[in-house]
Amino acid sequence: MSEVIKAADDLDPDIRRFHQAISSGYAAHPALPGQTLVDRRQVAETVRAPWTKGGPVMARTREMRLGDRGVRVRIHEPSIGADLPVMFYIHGGGWMLFSLDTHDRLMREYAARAGVAVLGVDYSLSPEAKFPTALEEIVEVVDAVRAGAAGPGLDPARIAIGGDSAGANMAVAANLMLRRHGKPVLDAMVLNYGAFDHAVTASHERYGSDGYMLNSAEMVVFWDAYLRGAADYDNPLAAPLRADLSGLPPAFLCIAACDILVDGNLAMAARLRSARVPVSASLYDGASHSFLEAVSISSLADRAFTEASAWLSRRLCRS
């Protein structure tokens, strides 16, 4: 059995507890000879399950399939009556792992705090579905919601998109793809500790050990699984930090200070500002990658949700 990894000392105490609990969970399910990716995904679901419990209760939660490919979505609505603005939420997991279930509480937190419907997209995972399959699925679902296919209760004229890690990457890239196809971009982006580029930076060196939630070796595996080959590494739809970002919607960046991706997130905030995109960027000291999942025990995660939700409400909600 694997040993529990000791969390780094510079983490917020509650985030350290979260990290240790996740580490213990994985140690209880060690990799065995012959373990498949399906097995690995199930372990990830099991380890994350306790952190999805509790939190806001929705007025209605429903699932359906949208777009030409019939992509499964889950819609959390904090109230029923007047049409709610919508935030698409694209879960993280290195394009390979996690699901609507692992991120269910995150979606409900945003729905309740911002007063919006949150629509999670169950996109196809890599390596079975390589870039740009998942991105194309997300854009198809955007088109379907804009056309009213999600039914009453949602306002197709007020749509934001958010995501964490790989999901934040695709939240930006979805807007780039919409722009490329001559379609309007969305109204706002909520970007949580995004994987915006594959370049190794100083923060990979500082935070790339196993004392933090995400390490550099894992990111190499994730990028390799997602991309089809060498040419994709320079494709701005895969690495949006390399894109022309002009004309993209206003963005809120939630940046974890103790994360291998912190340099890339700070660079994305700077690049967006240089492109004259309105940006609100918050750097959370003591936060690790994935820290929002610790909201049940962490005042730091609670504050990050509150700040992003207030920003989102101002962008989408009419008085």
Side-chain angles (χ1 to χ4, degrees):
M1 180 177 292
S2 301
E3 293 183 359
V4 177
I5 296 169
K6 184 179 183 295
D9 290 337
D10 53 355
L11 295 177
D12 173 89
D14 292 333
I15 302 304
R16 189 180 303 120
R17 287 171 55 206
F18 168 66
H19 178 99
Q20 290 168 339
I22 292 292
S23 176
S24 296
Y26 280 112
H29 300 84
L32 299 173
Q35 185 185 54
T36 66
L37 181 54
V38 172
D39 296 331
R40 184 182 171 193
R41 287 172 179 157
Q42 185 54 57
V43 169
E45 295 286 323
T46 300
V47 170
R48 246 63 186 197
W51 301 94
T52 70
K53 307 301 182 186
V57 176
M58 296 290 97
R60 178 169 65 180
T61 294
R62 52 197 171 104
E63 292 193 1
M64 62 179 65
R65 292 186 177 273
L66 295 173
D68 294 338
R69 307 181 203 208
V71 180
R72 185 171 72 102
V73 303
R74 179 177 299 167
I75 307 171
H76 288 301
E77 296 166 85
S79 62
I80 299 173
D83 285 351
L84 292 169
V86 182
M87 180 172 75
F88 283 77
Y89 198 81
I90 316 301
H91 70 78
W95 302 280
M96 293 178 66
L97 304 170
F98 302 162
S99 68
L100 298 181
D101 293 332
T102 60
H103 284 62
D104 192 79
R105 178 156 183 177
L106 270 66
M107 293 189 288
R108 288 184 285 113
E109 292 286 350
Y110 284 120
R113 293 170 187 245
V116 304
V118 176
L119 186 153
V121 182
D122 188 27
Y123 61 86
S124 297
L125 298 177
S126 297
E128 299 94 328
K130 293 277 191 177
F131 168 83
T133 301
L135 185 57
E136 291 170 343
E137 292 173 346
I138 292 163
V139 171
E140 280 189 13
V141 173
V142 170
D143 290 341
V145 172
R146 279 177 158 171
L154 307 184
D155 184 349
R158 292 183 291 164
I159 303 177
I161 190 167
D164 57 280
S165 195
N169 168 299
M170 291 191 287
V172 178
N175 281 289
L176 295 171
M177 183 172 279
L178 287 167
R179 188 184 67 185
R180 177 176 288 188
H181 292 169
K183 300 173 183 178
V185 298
L186 299 173
D187 297 306
M189 301 185 292
V190 175
L191 308 175
N192 299 323
Y193 32 83
F196 299 122
D197 194 75
H198 48 79
V200 175
T201 67
S203 59
H204 283 72
E205 298 297 326
R206 182 171 181 181
Y207 301 113
S209 72
D210 285 332
Y212 300 92
M213 188 61 68
L214 175 68
N215 65 53
S216 299
E218 288 175 308
M219 280 308 307
V220 171
V221 171
F222 291 150
W223 281 105
D224 182 66
Y226 180 50
L227 303 179
R228 295 166 298 187
D232 283 345
Y233 282 85
D234 291 324
N235 190 320
L237 293 178
L241 189 59
R242 299 169 183 241
D244 170 10
L245 302 175
S246 59
L248 292 195
F252 182 97
L253 280 82
C254 168
I255 305 173
C258 302
D259 182 5
I260 65 171
L261 304 181
V262 62
D263 288 347
N265 279 254
L266 294 171
M268 175 58 79
R271 289 279 331 281
L272 286 166
R273 289 190 180 107
S274 293
R276 301 187 182 279
V277 175
V279 172
S280 178
S282 293
L283 179 68
Y284 295 95
D285 290 333
S288 69
H289 198 78
S290 298
F291 82 102
L292 292 175
E293 295 177 55
V295 65
S296 60
I297 64 169
S298 168
S299 60
L300 187 61
D302 179 79
R303 176 163 64 88
F305 273 114
T306 297
E307 292 173 351
S309 297
W311 179 90
L312 183 63
S313 183
R314 289 193 299 271
R315 288 288 171 182
L316 292 185
C317 297
R318 302 187 183 110
S319 57

Short mmCIF file of all heavy atoms in Angstrom, two decimals, residues 30-80:
data_model
loop_
_atom_site.label_atom_id
_atom_site.label_comp_id
_atom_site.label_asym_id
_atom_site.label_seq_id
_atom_site.Cartn_x
_atom_site.Cartn_y
_atom_site.Cartn_z
N PRO A 30 -4.48 1.42 -3.88
CA PRO A 30 -3.21 1.49 -4.60
C PRO A 30 -3.33 0.89 -6.00
O PRO A 30 -4.14 -0.01 -6.25
CB PRO A 30 -2.27 0.66 -3.73
CG PRO A 30 -3.17 -0.29 -3.01
CD PRO A 30 -4.43 0.47 -2.76
N ALA A 31 -2.50 1.42 -6.91
CA ALA A 31 -2.46 0.88 -8.27
C ALA A 31 -1.91 -0.54 -8.23
O ALA A 31 -0.88 -0.81 -7.61
CB ALA A 31 -1.59 1.76 -9.15
N LEU A 32 -2.60 -1.45 -8.87
CA LEU A 32 -2.20 -2.85 -8.92
C LEU A 32 -1.84 -3.24 -10.35
O LEU A 32 -2.28 -2.58 -11.30
CB LEU A 32 -3.34 -3.75 -8.41
CG LEU A 32 -3.80 -3.50 -6.97
CD1 LEU A 32 -5.05 -4.32 -6.66
CD2 LEU A 32 -2.68 -3.82 -6.00
N PRO A 33 -1.04 -4.29 -10.53
CA PRO A 33 -0.73 -4.74 -11.89
C PRO A 33 -2.01 -4.99 -12.67
O PRO A 33 -2.95 -5.61 -12.17
CB PRO A 33 0.06 -6.04 -11.65
CG PRO A 33 0.65 -5.87 -10.29
CD PRO A 33 -0.36 -5.10 -9.50
N GLY A 34 -2.04 -4.48 -13.88
CA GLY A 34 -3.21 -4.69 -14.72
C GLY A 34 -4.31 -3.66 -14.53
O GLY A 34 -5.37 -3.75 -15.16
N GLN A 35 -4.09 -2.64 -13.67
CA GLN A 35 -5.11 -1.62 -13.47
C GLN A 35 -5.35 -0.86 -14.77
O GLN A 35 -4.42 -0.41 -15.42
CB GLN A 35 -4.71 -0.64 -12.37
CG GLN A 35 -5.79 0.37 -12.04
CD GLN A 35 -5.34 1.42 -11.04
OE1 GLN A 35 -4.31 2.07 -11.24
NE2 GLN A 35 -6.06 1.55 -9.95
N THR A 36 -6.60 -0.74 -15.14
CA THR A 36 -6.96 -0.05 -16.38
C THR A 36 -7.32 1.40 -16.09
O THR A 36 -7.50 1.80 -14.93
CB THR A 36 -8.16 -0.74 -17.04
OG1 THR A 36 -9.31 -0.58 -16.20
CG2 THR A 36 -7.87 -2.22 -17.27
N LEU A 37 -7.48 2.18 -17.15
CA LEU A 37 -7.92 3.56 -16.99
C LEU A 37 -9.33 3.60 -16.42
O LEU A 37 -9.65 4.49 -15.61
CB LEU A 37 -7.86 4.29 -18.34
CG LEU A 37 -8.26 5.76 -18.34
CD1 LEU A 37 -7.47 6.56 -17.31
CD2 LEU A 37 -8.09 6.35 -19.74
N VAL A 38 -10.15 2.66 -16.79
CA VAL A 38 -11.50 2.58 -16.21
C VAL A 38 -11.41 2.37 -14.70
O VAL A 38 -12.14 3.01 -13.92
CB VAL A 38 -12.31 1.44 -16.86
CG1 VAL A 38 -13.64 1.23 -16.13
CG2 VAL A 38 -12.57 1.75 -18.33
N ASP A 39 -10.50 1.50 -14.26
CA ASP A 39 -10.29 1.30 -12.82
C ASP A 39 -9.81 2.59 -12.16
O ASP A 39 -10.28 2.96 -11.07
CB ASP A 39 -9.24 0.21 -12.58
CG ASP A 39 -9.67 -1.15 -13.09
OD1 ASP A 39 -10.89 -1.42 -13.12
OD2 ASP A 39 -8.78 -1.94 -13.47
N ARG A 40 -8.90 3.28 -12.81
CA ARG A 40 -8.35 4.51 -12.25
C ARG A 40 -9.44 5.56 -12.10
O ARG A 40 -9.49 6.29 -11.11
CB ARG A 40 -7.22 5.01 -13.15
CG ARG A 40 -6.51 6.24 -12.62
CD ARG A 40 -5.44 6.70 -13.59
NE ARG A 40 -4.89 8.00 -13.20
CZ ARG A 40 -4.13 8.75 -13.99
NH1 ARG A 40 -3.82 8.32 -15.20
NH2 ARG A 40 -3.69 9.92 -13.58
N ARG A 41 -10.30 5.64 -13.09
CA ARG A 41 -11.40 6.61 -13.02
C ARG A 41 -12.36 6.27 -11.88
O ARG A 41 -12.84 7.17 -11.18
CB ARG A 41 -12.15 6.64 -14.35
CG ARG A 41 -11.38 7.33 -15.45
CD ARG A 41 -12.07 7.17 -16.80
NE ARG A 41 -11.33 7.88 -17.86
CZ ARG A 41 -11.40 7.59 -19.14
NH1 ARG A 41 -12.18 6.59 -19.56
NH2 ARG A 41 -10.70 8.28 -20.03
N GLN A 42 -12.61 5.00 -11.66
CA GLN A 42 -13.51 4.63 -10.58
C GLN A 42 -12.90 4.95 -9.22
O GLN A 42 -13.60 5.39 -8.30
CB GLN A 42 -13.84 3.13 -10.66
CG GLN A 42 -14.87 2.69 -9.62
CD GLN A 42 -16.14 3.51 -9.68
OE1 GLN A 42 -16.80 3.59 -10.70
NE2 GLN A 42 -16.50 4.15 -8.56
N VAL A 43 -11.60 4.75 -9.08
CA VAL A 43 -10.93 5.12 -7.83
C VAL A 43 -11.07 6.62 -7.59
O VAL A 43 -11.38 7.07 -6.48
CB VAL A 43 -9.45 4.71 -7.86
CG1 VAL A 43 -8.69 5.34 -6.69
CG2 VAL A 43 -9.32 3.19 -7.83
N ALA A 44 -10.86 7.41 -8.65
CA ALA A 44 -10.99 8.87 -8.52
C ALA A 44 -12.39 9.25 -8.09
O ALA A 44 -12.57 10.15 -7.25
CB ALA A 44 -10.62 9.54 -9.84
N GLU A 45 -13.40 8.59 -8.63
CA GLU A 45 -14.78 8.88 -8.23
C GLU A 45 -15.00 8.55 -6.76
O GLU A 45 -15.63 9.32 -6.01
CB GLU A 45 -15.76 8.06 -9.09
CG GLU A 45 -15.75 8.39 -10.56
CD GLU A 45 -16.42 9.71 -10.89
OE1 GLU A 45 -17.45 10.04 -10.25
OE2 GLU A 45 -15.93 10.42 -11.79
N THR A 46 -14.46 7.42 -6.33
CA THR A 46 -14.62 6.99 -4.93
C THR A 46 -13.93 7.95 -3.97
O THR A 46 -14.50 8.33 -2.93
CB THR A 46 -14.05 5.57 -4.76
OG1 THR A 46 -14.77 4.67 -5.62
CG2 THR A 46 -14.18 5.10 -3.32
N VAL A 47 -12.70 8.36 -4.31
CA VAL A 47 -11.94 9.24 -3.43
C VAL A 47 -12.60 10.61 -3.34
O VAL A 47 -12.64 11.23 -2.27
CB VAL A 47 -10.49 9.36 -3.94
CG1 VAL A 47 -9.74 10.46 -3.20
CG2 VAL A 47 -9.77 8.02 -3.80
N ARG A 48 -13.15 11.08 -4.43
CA ARG A 48 -13.75 12.43 -4.46
C ARG A 48 -15.17 12.45 -3.87
O ARG A 48 -15.66 13.52 -3.50
CB ARG A 48 -13.81 12.92 -5.90
CG ARG A 48 -12.92 14.12 -6.23
CD ARG A 48 -11.47 13.90 -6.07
NE ARG A 48 -10.73 15.16 -6.27
CZ ARG A 48 -9.44 15.23 -6.49
NH1 ARG A 48 -8.73 14.13 -6.58
NH2 ARG A 48 -8.84 16.41 -6.62
N ALA A 49 -15.83 11.30 -3.82
CA ALA A 49 -17.24 11.27 -3.45
C ALA A 49 -17.58 11.98 -2.14
O ALA A 49 -18.57 12.72 -2.07
CB ALA A 49 -17.74 9.83 -3.42
N PRO A 50 -16.80 11.81 -1.06
CA PRO A 50 -17.17 12.48 0.19
C PRO A 50 -17.20 14.00 0.09
O PRO A 50 -17.93 14.66 0.85
CB PRO A 50 -16.08 12.03 1.18
CG PRO A 50 -15.54 10.77 0.61
CD PRO A 50 -15.61 10.95 -0.87
N TRP A 51 -16.44 14.56 -0.84
CA TRP A 51 -16.33 16.02 -0.95
C TRP A 51 -17.45 16.62 -1.78
O TRP A 51 -17.57 17.85 -1.86
CB TRP A 51 -14.96 16.39 -1.54
CG TRP A 51 -13.88 15.87 -0.67
CD1 TRP A 51 -13.21 14.68 -0.79
CD2 TRP A 51 -13.38 16.47 0.53
NE1 TRP A 51 -12.31 14.52 0.23
CE2 TRP A 51 -12.41 15.60 1.06
CE3 TRP A 51 -13.64 17.67 1.19
CZ2 TRP A 51 -11.70 15.89 2.23
CZ3 TRP A 51 -12.96 17.97 2.36
CH2 TRP A 51 -11.99 17.09 2.86
N THR A 52 -18.28 15.78 -2.39
CA THR A 52 -19.42 16.29 -3.17
C THR A 52 -20.69 16.34 -2.33
O THR A 52 -21.71 16.87 -2.79
CB THR A 52 -19.68 15.39 -4.39
OG1 THR A 52 -20.20 14.13 -3.97
CG2 THR A 52 -18.40 15.17 -5.19
N LYS A 53 -20.63 15.80 -1.11
CA LYS A 53 -21.83 15.72 -0.28
C LYS A 53 -22.17 17.07 0.35
O LYS A 53 -21.31 17.91 0.56
CB LYS A 53 -21.65 14.66 0.82
CG LYS A 53 -21.23 13.30 0.32
CD LYS A 53 -22.23 12.71 -0.67
CE LYS A 53 -21.80 11.32 -1.12
NZ LYS A 53 -22.68 10.80 -2.19
N GLY A 54 -23.43 17.23 0.70
CA GLY A 54 -23.86 18.45 1.38
C GLY A 54 -23.89 19.63 0.44
O GLY A 54 -23.89 19.50 -0.79
N GLY A 55 -23.95 20.81 1.04
CA GLY A 55 -23.99 22.02 0.23
C GLY A 55 -25.40 22.41 -0.14
O GLY A 55 -26.38 21.86 0.37
N PRO A 56 -25.55 23.38 -1.04
CA PRO A 56 -26.86 23.92 -1.37
C PRO A 56 -27.81 22.88 -1.97
O PRO A 56 -27.38 21.97 -2.70
CB PRO A 56 -26.54 25.00 -2.41
CG PRO A 56 -25.11 25.34 -2.18
CD PRO A 56 -24.45 24.08 -1.73
N VAL A 57 -29.08 23.04 -1.63
CA VAL A 57 -30.14 22.20 -2.20
C VAL A 57 -30.80 22.98 -3.33
O VAL A 57 -31.14 24.16 -3.16
CB VAL A 57 -31.18 21.83 -1.13
CG1 VAL A 57 -32.33 21.05 -1.74
CG2 VAL A 57 -30.52 21.02 -0.01
N MET A 58 -30.96 22.35 -4.46
CA MET A 58 -31.51 23.02 -5.63
C MET A 58 -33.04 22.89 -5.68
O MET A 58 -33.62 21.92 -5.19
CB MET A 58 -30.93 22.40 -6.90
CG MET A 58 -29.43 22.59 -7.06
SD MET A 58 -28.92 24.31 -7.40
CE MET A 58 -28.45 24.89 -5.76
N ALA A 59 -33.67 23.89 -6.28
CA ALA A 59 -35.10 23.80 -6.53
C ALA A 59 -35.40 22.71 -7.54
O ALA A 59 -36.43 22.02 -7.46
CB ALA A 59 -35.64 25.14 -7.04
N ARG A 60 -34.49 22.53 -8.50
CA ARG A 60 -34.68 21.48 -9.51
C ARG A 60 -33.33 21.11 -10.09
O ARG A 60 -32.49 21.97 -10.36
CB ARG A 60 -35.62 21.98 -10.62
CG ARG A 60 -35.84 20.96 -11.73
CD ARG A 60 -36.97 21.38 -12.66
NE ARG A 60 -36.66 22.61 -13.41
CZ ARG A 60 -37.49 23.17 -14.29
NH1 ARG A 60 -38.70 22.63 -14.49
NH2 ARG A 60 -37.13 24.27 -14.93
N THR A 61 -33.12 19.82 -10.28
CA THR A 61 -31.96 19.31 -11.00
C THR A 61 -32.48 18.34 -12.05
O THR A 61 -33.28 17.46 -11.75
CB THR A 61 -30.98 18.59 -10.07
OG1 THR A 61 -30.42 19.54 -9.14
CG2 THR A 61 -29.84 17.95 -10.85
N ARG A 62 -32.02 18.51 -13.26
CA ARG A 62 -32.49 17.64 -14.34
C ARG A 62 -31.33 17.31 -15.27
O ARG A 62 -30.33 18.04 -15.32
CB ARG A 62 -33.64 18.27 -15.12
CG ARG A 62 -33.38 19.69 -15.62
CD ARG A 62 -34.68 20.40 -16.00
NE ARG A 62 -34.45 21.81 -16.28
CZ ARG A 62 -34.42 22.34 -17.51
NH1 ARG A 62 -34.62 21.56 -18.57
NH2 ARG A 62 -34.22 23.63 -17.68
N GLU A 63 -31.48 16.20 -15.97
CA GLU A 63 -30.48 15.79 -16.96
C GLU A 63 -31.16 15.59 -18.30
O GLU A 63 -32.33 15.22 -18.38
CB GLU A 63 -29.77 14.51 -16.52
CG GLU A 63 -28.88 14.69 -15.31
CD GLU A 63 -27.94 13.52 -15.07
OE1 GLU A 63 -27.96 12.56 -15.88
OE2 GLU A 63 -27.18 13.57 -14.09
N MET A 64 -30.40 15.85 -19.35
CA MET A 64 -30.90 15.64 -20.71
C MET A 64 -29.70 15.49 -21.63
O MET A 64 -28.55 15.61 -21.19
CB MET A 64 -31.77 16.82 -21.16
CG MET A 64 -31.05 18.15 -21.21
SD MET A 64 -32.12 19.52 -21.78
CE MET A 64 -33.31 19.57 -20.45
N ARG A 65 -29.98 15.25 -22.89
CA ARG A 65 -28.93 15.18 -23.90
C ARG A 65 -29.17 16.28 -24.93
O ARG A 65 -30.31 16.49 -25.37
CB ARG A 65 -28.89 13.80 -24.56
CG ARG A 65 -28.44 12.72 -23.59
CD ARG A 65 -28.23 11.37 -24.23
NE ARG A 65 -27.74 10.41 -23.26
CZ ARG A 65 -26.47 10.21 -22.97
NH1 ARG A 65 -25.53 10.91 -23.60
NH2 ARG A 65 -26.10 9.32 -22.07
N LEU A 66 -28.09 16.97 -25.30
CA LEU A 66 -28.20 18.11 -26.18
C LEU A 66 -27.17 18.03 -27.30
O LEU A 66 -26.13 17.39 -27.17
CB LEU A 66 -27.97 19.41 -25.40
CG LEU A 66 -29.01 19.78 -24.33
CD1 LEU A 66 -28.54 21.00 -23.55
CD2 LEU A 66 -30.37 20.03 -24.95
N GLY A 67 -27.45 18.73 -28.39
CA GLY A 67 -26.53 18.79 -29.51
C GLY A 67 -26.68 17.59 -30.43
O GLY A 67 -27.32 16.59 -30.09
N ASP A 68 -26.04 17.68 -31.58
CA ASP A 68 -26.11 16.61 -32.57
C ASP A 68 -25.54 15.30 -32.04
O ASP A 68 -25.95 14.22 -32.47
CB ASP A 68 -25.37 17.01 -33.84
CG ASP A 68 -26.03 18.17 -34.56
OD1 ASP A 68 -27.24 18.40 -34.33
OD2 ASP A 68 -25.34 18.86 -35.35
N ARG A 69 -24.60 15.38 -31.11
CA ARG A 69 -23.96 14.17 -30.57
C ARG A 69 -24.68 13.64 -29.33
O ARG A 69 -24.25 12.63 -28.76
CB ARG A 69 -22.49 14.45 -30.24
CG ARG A 69 -21.73 15.05 -31.40
CD ARG A 69 -20.27 15.30 -31.08
NE ARG A 69 -19.74 16.33 -31.96
CZ ARG A 69 -18.46 16.43 -32.33
NH1 ARG A 69 -17.58 15.58 -31.86
NH2 ARG A 69 -18.07 17.40 -33.14
N GLY A 70 -25.72 14.33 -28.90
CA GLY A 70 -26.45 13.87 -27.72
C GLY A 70 -25.62 13.89 -26.47
O GLY A 70 -25.60 12.91 -25.70
N VAL A 71 -24.92 14.99 -26.21
CA VAL A 71 -24.05 15.10 -25.03
C VAL A 71 -24.92 15.22 -23.78
O VAL A 71 -25.85 16.02 -23.72
CB VAL A 71 -23.13 16.32 -25.16
CG1 VAL A 71 -22.23 16.44 -23.93
CG2 VAL A 71 -22.30 16.24 -26.43
N ARG A 72 -24.60 14.42 -22.77
CA ARG A 72 -25.35 14.47 -21.52
C ARG A 72 -24.98 15.72 -20.74
O ARG A 72 -23.80 16.06 -20.61
CB ARG A 72 -25.07 13.23 -20.66
CG ARG A 72 -25.91 13.15 -19.38
CD ARG A 72 -25.73 11.79 -18.71
NE ARG A 72 -24.42 11.65 -18.11
CZ ARG A 72 -24.16 11.78 -16.81
NH1 ARG A 72 -25.13 12.08 -15.96
NH2 ARG A 72 -22.94 11.60 -16.35
N VAL A 73 -25.99 16.40 -20.22
CA VAL A 73 -25.77 17.57 -19.38
C VAL A 73 -26.60 17.43 -18.11
O VAL A 73 -27.61 16.72 -18.08
CB VAL A 73 -26.13 18.88 -20.11
CG1 VAL A 73 -25.34 19.03 -21.40
CG2 VAL A 73 -27.62 18.99 -20.37
N ARG A 74 -26.15 18.10 -17.07
CA ARG A 74 -26.89 18.18 -15.81
C ARG A 74 -27.12 19.65 -15.50
O ARG A 74 -26.16 20.43 -15.50
CB ARG A 74 -26.11 17.51 -14.68
CG ARG A 74 -26.80 17.57 -13.31
CD ARG A 74 -26.00 16.83 -12.26
NE ARG A 74 -25.85 15.41 -12.60
CZ ARG A 74 -24.99 14.58 -12.01
NH1 ARG A 74 -24.19 15.03 -11.04
NH2 ARG A 74 -24.92 13.32 -12.36
N ILE A 75 -28.37 20.01 -15.22
CA ILE A 75 -28.73 21.40 -15.00
C ILE A 75 -29.23 21.56 -13.57
O ILE A 75 -30.21 20.94 -13.15
CB ILE A 75 -29.82 21.86 -15.97
CG1 ILE A 75 -29.39 21.58 -17.42
CG2 ILE A 75 -30.11 23.36 -15.78
CD1 ILE A 75 -30.49 21.82 -18.44
N HIS A 76 -28.53 22.41 -12.81
CA HIS A 76 -28.93 22.76 -11.44
C HIS A 76 -29.59 24.13 -11.46
O HIS A 76 -28.98 25.11 -11.89
CB HIS A 76 -27.71 22.79 -10.52
CG HIS A 76 -27.13 21.46 -10.20
ND1 HIS A 76 -27.84 20.46 -9.59
CD2 HIS A 76 -25.88 20.96 -10.40
CE1 HIS A 76 -27.07 19.39 -9.40
NE2 HIS A 76 -25.87 19.67 -9.89
N GLU A 77 -30.82 24.20 -10.96
CA GLU A 77 -31.56 25.46 -10.92
C GLU A 77 -31.88 25.82 -9.47
O GLU A 77 -32.58 25.06 -8.79
CB GLU A 77 -32.83 25.34 -11.73
CG GLU A 77 -32.56 25.10 -13.22
CD GLU A 77 -33.80 24.64 -13.96
OE1 GLU A 77 -34.60 25.50 -14.38
OE2 GLU A 77 -33.97 23.41 -14.11
N PRO A 78 -31.38 26.96 -8.97
CA PRO A 78 -31.62 27.33 -7.58
C PRO A 78 -33.04 27.83 -7.33
O PRO A 78 -33.48 27.89 -6.19
CB PRO A 78 -30.60 28.44 -7.34
CG PRO A 78 -30.40 29.06 -8.69
CD PRO A 78 -30.51 27.93 -9.66
N SER A 79 -33.75 28.20 -8.39
CA SER A 79 -35.14 28.66 -8.27
C SER A 79 -35.85 28.35 -9.57
O SER A 79 -35.22 28.12 -10.61
CB SER A 79 -35.19 30.16 -7.97
OG SER A 79 -34.60 30.90 -9.03
N ILE A 80 -37.17 28.34 -9.50
CA ILE A 80 -38.00 28.07 -10.68
C ILE A 80 -38.98 29.22 -10.82
O ILE A 80 -39.61 29.64 -9.85
CB ILE A 80 -38.73 26.73 -10.55
CG1 ILE A 80 -37.72 25.58 -10.43
CG2 ILE A 80 -39.66 26.49 -11.75
CD1 ILE A 80 -38.35 24.24 -10.14
#
